[in-house]
Amino acid sequence: FLKDCYQRFLSGSCNFPIITGPSGIGKTLLATRFGDHVSHSGGVFISGKFDQHHQATPFMAITHAFNEYCSFLVANTECSNATSVVSSLRDSLGNDAGYLAKVIPNLSLFFGDIGEYNGHVECVNAQKRLQYLLCRFVETVSTSSKTPVALFLDDLQWADPASIAAIRLLILSKPLRFFILVSYRDYGVNEDDDNR
């Protein structure tokens, strides 16, 4: 099923698969095997996991995955595709790179000395700004990379509200060459929960 969804995605059809089930059924293993398929077919598979004990840390799983992607870019700097993505990220993020590097530290690996953002931003505004920058990061990667990227976010039932909002924005933006897959424990999500 996931391979078929991915193929449809590569053909231009928008897909947003969700893996659900109780704890221990093999959701993460299924996604990991799918990740092997993505890698073997020339794509990039990145992942992040939400944690019950770190729900107070907004965007934790998303930024972990994007940090992993930045490491991939650095490891492949000889590749013209990686060089193109890095150049596009520099142009797109500009001075905001320092702000985003607070949550994606590996951005500084190819931005050089981007300095540390010292401005004061209120908490609500800070989360909205990060949502915007994370979406801009994805949009830039999806339009500048010739290599498809598959993002897997595990244990969505533990996601913070800011991450849920960012995921919604990412899905609604229908990014090219950026496949999004999530998993959650179906008993860990309240049917009345607005984040569902």
CSV table of all heavy atoms in Angstrom, one decimal, residues 2 13 22 27 29 36 44 48 59-61 66 69 83 93 97 101 108 114 119 130 133 135 148 159 161 168 181 185:
chain,number,residue,atom,x,y,z
A,2,LEU,N,1.9,1.3,0.9
A,2,LEU,CA,2.7,2.5,1.0
A,2,LEU,C,3.5,2.7,-0.3
A,2,LEU,O,3.7,3.9,-0.8
A,2,LEU,CB,3.7,2.4,2.2
A,2,LEU,CG,3.0,2.6,3.5
A,2,LEU,CD1,4.1,2.4,4.6
A,2,LEU,CD2,2.4,3.9,3.7
A,13,SER,N,0.3,12.7,-8.1
A,13,SER,CA,-1.0,12.6,-7.3
A,13,SER,C,-0.6,12.8,-5.9
A,13,SER,O,0.4,12.4,-5.4
A,13,SER,CB,-1.6,11.2,-7.5
A,13,SER,OG,-2.7,11.0,-6.7
A,22,PRO,N,-2.5,-0.3,17.4
A,22,PRO,CA,-2.1,-0.2,18.8
A,22,PRO,C,-0.6,-0.3,18.9
A,22,PRO,O,0.1,-0.7,17.9
A,22,PRO,CB,-2.8,-1.5,19.3
A,22,PRO,CG,-3.0,-2.4,18.2
A,22,PRO,CD,-3.3,-1.5,17.0
A,27,LYS,N,4.1,-0.6,13.4
A,27,LYS,CA,3.9,0.6,12.6
A,27,LYS,C,5.2,1.2,12.2
A,27,LYS,O,5.5,1.6,11.0
A,27,LYS,CB,3.1,1.7,13.3
A,27,LYS,CG,1.7,1.3,13.7
A,27,LYS,CD,0.9,2.4,14.4
A,27,LYS,CE,1.5,2.7,15.7
A,27,LYS,NZ,1.5,1.6,16.7
A,29,LEU,N,8.2,-0.3,12.2
A,29,LEU,CA,8.9,-1.2,11.3
A,29,LEU,C,8.4,-1.1,9.9
A,29,LEU,O,9.2,-1.1,8.9
A,29,LEU,CB,8.7,-2.6,11.8
A,29,LEU,CG,9.4,-3.8,11.0
A,29,LEU,CD1,10.9,-3.6,10.9
A,29,LEU,CD2,9.1,-5.1,11.6
A,36,ASP,N,13.4,2.1,3.4
A,36,ASP,CA,14.4,1.4,2.6
A,36,ASP,C,14.1,1.4,1.1
A,36,ASP,O,14.9,1.6,0.2
A,36,ASP,CB,14.5,-0.1,3.1
A,36,ASP,CG,15.1,-0.2,4.5
A,36,ASP,OD1,15.8,0.8,4.9
A,36,ASP,OD2,14.9,-1.2,5.1
A,44,VAL,N,15.1,10.2,-0.7
A,44,VAL,CA,15.7,10.5,0.6
A,44,VAL,C,14.6,10.2,1.7
A,44,VAL,O,13.5,10.8,1.6
A,44,VAL,CB,16.3,11.9,0.8
A,44,VAL,CG1,16.8,12.1,2.2
A,44,VAL,CG2,17.3,12.2,-0.3
A,48,GLY,N,11.2,11.6,12.1
A,48,GLY,CA,11.2,12.2,13.5
A,48,GLY,C,10.1,11.5,14.3
A,48,GLY,O,9.1,11.0,13.8
A,59,PHE,N,7.5,21.3,17.8
A,59,PHE,CA,8.2,20.9,16.5
A,59,PHE,C,9.3,19.9,16.7
A,59,PHE,O,10.1,19.7,15.7
A,59,PHE,CB,8.7,22.1,15.8
A,59,PHE,CG,7.8,23.3,15.7
A,59,PHE,CD1,8.0,24.5,16.3
A,59,PHE,CD2,6.6,23.2,14.9
A,59,PHE,CE1,7.1,25.5,16.2
A,59,PHE,CE2,5.7,24.2,14.8
A,59,PHE,CZ,6.0,25.4,15.5
A,60,MET,N,9.4,19.2,17.8
A,60,MET,CA,10.6,18.4,18.1
A,60,MET,C,10.8,17.3,17.0
A,60,MET,O,11.9,17.2,16.5
A,60,MET,CB,10.4,17.7,19.4
A,60,MET,CG,11.7,16.9,19.8
A,60,MET,SD,11.5,16.1,21.4
A,60,MET,CE,10.6,14.6,20.9
A,61,ALA,N,9.8,16.6,16.6
A,61,ALA,CA,10.0,15.5,15.6
A,61,ALA,C,10.3,16.1,14.2
A,61,ALA,O,11.1,15.5,13.5
A,61,ALA,CB,8.7,14.6,15.5
A,66,PHE,N,14.3,17.4,9.8
A,66,PHE,CA,14.9,18.3,9.0
A,66,PHE,C,16.4,18.5,9.3
A,66,PHE,O,17.2,18.8,8.4
A,66,PHE,CB,14.2,19.7,9.0
A,66,PHE,CG,12.8,19.7,8.5
A,66,PHE,CD1,12.0,20.8,8.7
A,66,PHE,CD2,12.3,18.6,7.8
A,66,PHE,CE1,10.7,20.7,8.1
A,66,PHE,CE2,11.0,18.5,7.3
A,66,PHE,CZ,10.2,19.6,7.4
A,69,TYR,N,18.0,15.8,7.4
A,69,TYR,CA,18.1,16.1,6.0
A,69,TYR,C,19.2,17.1,5.7
A,69,TYR,O,20.0,16.9,4.7
A,69,TYR,CB,16.8,16.8,5.5
A,69,TYR,CG,16.8,17.1,4.0
A,69,TYR,CD1,16.7,16.1,3.1
A,69,TYR,CD2,16.9,18.4,3.6
A,69,TYR,CE1,16.8,16.4,1.7
A,69,TYR,CE2,16.9,18.7,2.2
A,69,TYR,CZ,16.9,17.7,1.3
A,69,TYR,OH,16.9,18.0,0.0
A,83,THR,N,23.9,20.7,-3.9
A,83,THR,CA,24.4,22.1,-4.1
A,83,THR,C,23.2,23.0,-4.5
A,83,THR,O,23.1,24.1,-3.9
A,83,THR,CB,25.5,22.1,-5.2
A,83,THR,OG1,26.5,21.2,-4.8
A,83,THR,CG2,26.1,23.5,-5.3
A,93,LEU,N,15.8,31.5,2.8
A,93,LEU,CA,15.8,31.8,4.2
A,93,LEU,C,16.5,33.1,4.5
A,93,LEU,O,16.0,33.8,5.5
A,93,LEU,CB,16.4,30.6,5.0
A,93,LEU,CG,15.7,29.3,4.9
A,93,LEU,CD1,16.5,28.2,5.6
A,93,LEU,CD2,14.3,29.4,5.5
A,97,ALA,N,17.7,32.4,8.5
A,97,ALA,CA,18.4,31.1,8.7
A,97,ALA,C,18.9,31.0,10.1
A,97,ALA,O,18.8,29.9,10.7
A,97,ALA,CB,19.6,31.0,7.7
A,101,ALA,N,17.9,28.0,12.6
A,101,ALA,CA,19.0,27.2,13.1
A,101,ALA,C,18.9,26.9,14.6
A,101,ALA,O,19.6,26.0,15.1
A,101,ALA,CB,20.4,27.8,12.7
A,108,SER,N,23.4,25.4,10.1
A,108,SER,CA,24.7,26.2,10.1
A,108,SER,C,25.9,25.4,9.5
A,108,SER,O,26.9,26.1,9.1
A,108,SER,CB,25.0,26.5,11.6
A,108,SER,OG,25.2,25.3,12.3
A,114,ILE,N,26.2,31.9,10.6
A,114,ILE,CA,25.0,32.6,10.4
A,114,ILE,C,24.6,33.4,11.6
A,114,ILE,O,23.6,34.1,11.7
A,114,ILE,CB,23.8,31.7,10.0
A,114,ILE,CG1,23.6,30.6,11.0
A,114,ILE,CG2,24.0,31.2,8.6
A,114,ILE,CD1,22.5,29.6,10.7
A,119,GLY,N,17.0,38.4,18.8
A,119,GLY,CA,15.8,39.2,19.0
A,119,GLY,C,14.8,38.5,19.9
A,119,GLY,O,14.7,37.3,20.0
A,130,LEU,N,8.1,30.1,13.4
A,130,LEU,CA,8.7,28.8,13.1
A,130,LEU,C,7.9,28.0,12.2
A,130,LEU,O,8.4,27.3,11.3
A,130,LEU,CB,9.0,28.1,14.4
A,130,LEU,CG,10.3,28.5,15.1
A,130,LEU,CD1,10.4,27.8,16.5
A,130,LEU,CD2,11.5,28.3,14.3
A,133,LEU,N,8.5,29.3,8.8
A,133,LEU,CA,9.9,29.0,8.3
A,133,LEU,C,10.0,27.5,8.0
A,133,LEU,O,10.7,27.2,7.0
A,133,LEU,CB,10.9,29.5,9.3
A,133,LEU,CG,11.1,31.0,9.4
A,133,LEU,CD1,12.1,31.3,10.5
A,133,LEU,CD2,11.6,31.6,8.1
A,135,CYS,N,7.6,25.6,6.9
A,135,CYS,CA,6.9,25.4,5.6
A,135,CYS,C,7.7,26.0,4.5
A,135,CYS,O,7.7,25.4,3.4
A,135,CYS,CB,5.5,26.1,5.7
A,135,CYS,SG,4.4,25.2,6.8
A,148,PRO,N,13.2,13.1,-4.7
A,148,PRO,CA,12.1,13.1,-3.8
A,148,PRO,C,12.5,12.9,-2.3
A,148,PRO,O,13.4,12.1,-2.1
A,148,PRO,CB,11.2,12.0,-4.3
A,148,PRO,CG,12.0,11.2,-5.2
A,148,PRO,CD,13.2,12.0,-5.6
A,159,ALA,N,2.1,14.5,19.6
A,159,ALA,CA,2.5,15.7,19.0
A,159,ALA,C,1.9,16.9,19.7
A,159,ALA,O,0.8,16.9,20.2
A,159,ALA,CB,2.1,15.8,17.5
A,161,PRO,N,0.4,20.9,19.9
A,161,PRO,CA,-0.5,21.6,18.9
A,161,PRO,C,0.2,22.4,17.8
A,161,PRO,O,-0.3,22.4,16.7
A,161,PRO,CB,-1.2,22.5,19.9
A,161,PRO,CG,-1.2,21.8,21.2
A,161,PRO,CD,0.2,21.2,21.3
A,168,ARG,N,-0.5,20.3,9.3
A,168,ARG,CA,-1.6,20.6,8.5
A,168,ARG,C,-1.3,21.6,7.4
A,168,ARG,O,-1.7,21.5,6.2
A,168,ARG,CB,-2.7,21.3,9.4
A,168,ARG,CG,-3.5,20.3,10.1
A,168,ARG,CD,-4.6,21.0,10.9
A,168,ARG,NE,-5.5,20.1,11.6
A,168,ARG,CZ,-6.0,20.3,12.7
A,168,ARG,NH1,-5.9,21.4,13.3
A,168,ARG,NH2,-6.8,19.3,13.3
A,181,LEU,N,4.3,11.0,5.6
A,181,LEU,CA,3.7,9.8,6.1
A,181,LEU,C,3.7,10.0,7.6
A,181,LEU,O,4.8,10.4,8.2
A,181,LEU,CB,4.6,8.6,5.7
A,181,LEU,CG,4.3,7.3,6.4
A,181,LEU,CD1,2.9,6.7,6.1
A,181,LEU,CD2,5.4,6.3,6.0
A,185,ARG,N,-0.9,5.8,17.4
A,185,ARG,CA,-1.6,4.8,18.1
A,185,ARG,C,-3.1,5.2,18.1
A,185,ARG,O,-3.4,6.3,18.6
A,185,ARG,CB,-1.2,4.6,19.5
A,185,ARG,CG,0.3,4.2,19.6
A,185,ARG,CD,0.7,4.1,21.1
A,185,ARG,NE,2.1,4.0,21.2
A,185,ARG,CZ,2.8,4.0,22.3
A,185,ARG,NH1,2.1,4.2,23.4
A,185,ARG,NH2,4.1,3.9,22.3
